[in-house]
Amino acid sequence: MLHYARREETWETTERELKGRGVVCMNFFDIVLDFILMDAFEDLENPPSSVVAVLRNRWLSDSFKETALATACWSVLKAKRRLLQVPDGFISHFYSISEHVSPVLAWGFLGPKQHLCEVCTIFKQQIIQYLKDIFDTDKMRYTTVNLLADDIVQLSQRRSEILLGYLGIDAIMTMNGMTPTDNGPLEESIPV
């Protein structure tokens, strides 16, 4: 996905795809936080009744329920993929990631594993509070671009620290100006 998104020749197609999905501006907040995360949270609040019936069936084992939920996620994504106007575009790449992430998140939010549900719920709460804080004029200084940028960075670091603290992870590796390479170490990113 990162390799695809970094290629300038894909930007026009990506923008067209995302505008068709209601994303007006191509930036991290509108794409990742709103289009991807908030839409996923909303979808998980109202799962299909057939999925709920399987998950509530006390006669089925947890492993069977988890497999059924994963299969349901993959089936939905496969159906959506068939309808894509750009078969190898941004949304296709997003669906490829979703094939791995969606079943885990769905199981976390909907399944019986209490600890996984707690982790997913804390993550969701932190993302929602982060978005609320960004638009709170008592917490953000909308007076200059630089002050607003500083406040967003501080807020992002604070929310990350809360999540990592909950997971028992001590520190965040600083990645300013760094991007991951194929499967190797971080390399310095040179602005063009």
Short mmCIF file of all heavy atoms in Angstrom, two decimals, residues 3 9 17 25 37 42 57 65-66 68 84 87 92 111 126 130 135-136 161 173 178 181 188 192:
data_model
loop_
_atom_site.label_atom_id
_atom_site.label_comp_id
_atom_site.label_asym_id
_atom_site.label_seq_id
_atom_site.Cartn_x
_atom_site.Cartn_y
_atom_site.Cartn_z
N HIS A 3 3.95 1.57 -1.08
CA HIS A 3 4.60 1.72 -2.39
C HIS A 3 3.61 2.28 -3.41
O HIS A 3 3.95 3.15 -4.21
CB HIS A 3 5.16 0.38 -2.88
CG HIS A 3 6.35 -0.07 -2.10
ND1 HIS A 3 7.58 0.54 -2.20
CD2 HIS A 3 6.50 -1.06 -1.21
CE1 HIS A 3 8.43 -0.05 -1.39
NE2 HIS A 3 7.80 -1.03 -0.77
N GLU A 9 2.02 8.78 -10.06
CA GLU A 9 1.12 8.47 -11.17
C GLU A 9 -0.19 7.83 -10.71
O GLU A 9 -1.15 7.75 -11.48
CB GLU A 9 1.82 7.59 -12.22
CG GLU A 9 2.20 6.20 -11.75
CD GLU A 9 3.59 6.10 -11.12
OE1 GLU A 9 4.18 7.16 -10.78
OE2 GLU A 9 4.07 4.97 -10.98
N GLU A 17 -11.12 7.72 -7.06
CA GLU A 17 -11.73 6.62 -6.30
C GLU A 17 -12.29 7.11 -4.96
O GLU A 17 -13.41 6.77 -4.58
CB GLU A 17 -10.71 5.52 -6.00
CG GLU A 17 -10.39 4.61 -7.14
CD GLU A 17 -9.46 3.50 -6.66
OE1 GLU A 17 -8.25 3.76 -6.50
OE2 GLU A 17 -9.97 2.38 -6.41
N CYS A 25 -10.99 15.50 0.49
CA CYS A 25 -9.60 15.95 0.50
C CYS A 25 -8.69 14.76 0.81
O CYS A 25 -8.96 13.99 1.72
CB CYS A 25 -9.44 17.04 1.55
SG CYS A 25 -7.81 17.77 1.58
N LEU A 37 -11.17 4.23 9.48
CA LEU A 37 -11.47 3.83 10.85
C LEU A 37 -12.91 4.12 11.28
O LEU A 37 -13.60 3.23 11.79
CB LEU A 37 -10.49 4.49 11.82
CG LEU A 37 -9.07 3.95 11.78
CD1 LEU A 37 -8.17 4.74 12.73
CD2 LEU A 37 -9.03 2.47 12.11
N GLU A 42 -18.40 2.17 12.56
CA GLU A 42 -19.84 2.22 12.32
C GLU A 42 -20.36 0.87 11.80
O GLU A 42 -21.42 0.40 12.23
CB GLU A 42 -20.18 3.33 11.32
CG GLU A 42 -20.08 4.72 11.92
CD GLU A 42 -20.31 5.81 10.89
OE1 GLU A 42 -20.90 5.54 9.82
OE2 GLU A 42 -19.91 6.95 11.16
N ASN A 57 -24.66 -18.16 19.39
CA ASN A 57 -25.01 -19.57 19.51
C ASN A 57 -24.06 -20.25 20.49
O ASN A 57 -22.89 -20.45 20.20
CB ASN A 57 -24.95 -20.24 18.13
CG ASN A 57 -25.46 -21.66 18.16
OD1 ASN A 57 -25.32 -22.38 19.16
ND2 ASN A 57 -26.05 -22.07 17.05
N LYS A 65 -16.83 -20.05 15.60
CA LYS A 65 -17.39 -18.70 15.48
C LYS A 65 -16.38 -17.76 14.83
O LYS A 65 -16.73 -16.95 13.97
CB LYS A 65 -17.79 -18.16 16.85
CG LYS A 65 -18.96 -18.87 17.48
CD LYS A 65 -19.21 -18.33 18.88
CE LYS A 65 -20.29 -19.11 19.61
NZ LYS A 65 -20.50 -18.61 20.97
N GLU A 66 -15.13 -17.86 15.25
CA GLU A 66 -14.09 -17.00 14.70
C GLU A 66 -13.90 -17.27 13.21
O GLU A 66 -13.78 -16.33 12.41
CB GLU A 66 -12.77 -17.20 15.46
CG GLU A 66 -11.67 -16.27 15.02
CD GLU A 66 -10.41 -16.40 15.85
OE1 GLU A 66 -10.29 -17.36 16.65
OE2 GLU A 66 -9.53 -15.54 15.70
N ALA A 68 -16.15 -18.56 11.15
CA ALA A 68 -17.35 -18.10 10.46
C ALA A 68 -17.33 -16.59 10.27
O ALA A 68 -17.69 -16.08 9.20
CB ALA A 68 -18.59 -18.51 11.25
N LEU A 84 -15.36 -3.10 -8.08
CA LEU A 84 -14.42 -1.99 -8.23
C LEU A 84 -14.27 -1.56 -9.68
O LEU A 84 -14.15 -2.39 -10.58
CB LEU A 84 -13.04 -2.37 -7.69
CG LEU A 84 -12.93 -2.52 -6.18
CD1 LEU A 84 -11.53 -2.99 -5.80
CD2 LEU A 84 -13.27 -1.22 -5.48
N PRO A 87 -9.52 -1.99 -10.77
CA PRO A 87 -9.21 -3.27 -10.12
C PRO A 87 -7.88 -3.31 -9.35
O PRO A 87 -7.73 -4.13 -8.46
CB PRO A 87 -9.17 -4.27 -11.28
CG PRO A 87 -9.38 -3.51 -12.53
CD PRO A 87 -9.65 -2.09 -12.20
N SER A 92 -8.61 -1.24 -3.98
CA SER A 92 -8.20 -2.65 -4.08
C SER A 92 -7.08 -2.96 -3.09
O SER A 92 -7.10 -3.99 -2.40
CB SER A 92 -7.74 -2.96 -5.50
OG SER A 92 -7.24 -4.27 -5.58
N GLY A 111 -16.53 -10.75 19.20
CA GLY A 111 -16.30 -12.08 19.75
C GLY A 111 -16.29 -12.12 21.27
O GLY A 111 -16.40 -11.09 21.94
N GLN A 126 -10.00 5.88 22.02
CA GLN A 126 -8.91 6.83 21.85
C GLN A 126 -9.00 7.54 20.49
O GLN A 126 -8.75 8.74 20.40
CB GLN A 126 -7.55 6.14 22.00
CG GLN A 126 -7.24 5.72 23.41
CD GLN A 126 -7.25 6.88 24.38
OE1 GLN A 126 -6.68 7.93 24.12
NE2 GLN A 126 -7.90 6.69 25.52
N TYR A 130 -9.63 11.42 20.15
CA TYR A 130 -8.64 12.16 19.36
C TYR A 130 -9.34 13.09 18.36
O TYR A 130 -9.02 14.27 18.26
CB TYR A 130 -7.73 11.16 18.65
CG TYR A 130 -6.71 11.77 17.71
CD1 TYR A 130 -5.56 12.37 18.20
CD2 TYR A 130 -6.89 11.72 16.33
CE1 TYR A 130 -4.61 12.91 17.35
CE2 TYR A 130 -5.95 12.26 15.48
CZ TYR A 130 -4.82 12.85 15.98
OH TYR A 130 -3.89 13.39 15.13
N PHE A 135 -11.12 18.97 17.08
CA PHE A 135 -12.09 20.01 16.76
C PHE A 135 -12.54 20.80 17.99
O PHE A 135 -13.46 21.61 17.90
CB PHE A 135 -13.29 19.40 16.04
CG PHE A 135 -12.92 18.84 14.70
CD1 PHE A 135 -12.75 17.48 14.53
CD2 PHE A 135 -12.70 19.69 13.62
CE1 PHE A 135 -12.39 16.96 13.29
CE2 PHE A 135 -12.33 19.18 12.38
CZ PHE A 135 -12.18 17.81 12.22
N ASP A 136 -11.86 20.60 19.12
CA ASP A 136 -12.18 21.31 20.35
C ASP A 136 -11.30 22.57 20.44
O ASP A 136 -10.09 22.47 20.59
CB ASP A 136 -11.93 20.40 21.55
CG ASP A 136 -12.34 21.01 22.87
OD1 ASP A 136 -12.46 22.25 22.96
OD2 ASP A 136 -12.53 20.23 23.83
N GLU A 161 0.76 7.42 23.27
CA GLU A 161 1.31 7.00 24.56
C GLU A 161 0.26 6.28 25.40
O GLU A 161 0.56 5.29 26.06
CB GLU A 161 1.86 8.21 25.33
CG GLU A 161 3.13 8.78 24.74
CD GLU A 161 3.50 10.13 25.32
OE1 GLU A 161 2.79 10.62 26.24
OE2 GLU A 161 4.48 10.72 24.85
N MET A 173 9.12 4.35 18.74
CA MET A 173 10.31 4.61 17.96
C MET A 173 10.05 5.88 17.14
O MET A 173 9.05 5.97 16.43
CB MET A 173 10.60 3.44 17.02
CG MET A 173 11.86 3.62 16.22
SD MET A 173 12.31 2.14 15.30
CE MET A 173 11.03 2.11 14.07
N MET A 178 11.36 9.42 8.31
CA MET A 178 11.77 8.07 7.96
C MET A 178 10.60 7.32 7.37
O MET A 178 9.46 7.53 7.75
CB MET A 178 12.26 7.32 9.21
CG MET A 178 13.32 8.07 10.00
SD MET A 178 14.84 8.28 9.08
CE MET A 178 15.69 6.84 9.63
N THR A 181 11.18 0.57 4.35
CA THR A 181 11.51 0.04 3.03
C THR A 181 10.99 -1.38 2.95
O THR A 181 10.36 -1.86 3.87
CB THR A 181 13.03 0.08 2.79
OG1 THR A 181 13.66 -0.67 3.80
CG2 THR A 181 13.56 1.51 2.79
N GLU A 188 16.05 7.26 5.17
CA GLU A 188 15.73 8.68 5.19
C GLU A 188 14.91 9.03 3.97
O GLU A 188 15.22 8.63 2.86
CB GLU A 188 17.04 9.50 5.21
CG GLU A 188 16.85 10.94 5.51
CD GLU A 188 16.52 11.19 6.99
OE1 GLU A 188 16.90 10.40 7.84
OE2 GLU A 188 15.87 12.22 7.26
N VAL A 192 10.75 15.79 -2.36
CA VAL A 192 10.96 16.14 -3.76
C VAL A 192 10.40 17.49 -4.06
O VAL A 192 9.42 17.92 -3.59
CB VAL A 192 10.29 15.08 -4.68
CG1 VAL A 192 10.54 15.40 -6.12
CG2 VAL A 192 10.81 13.72 -4.33
#
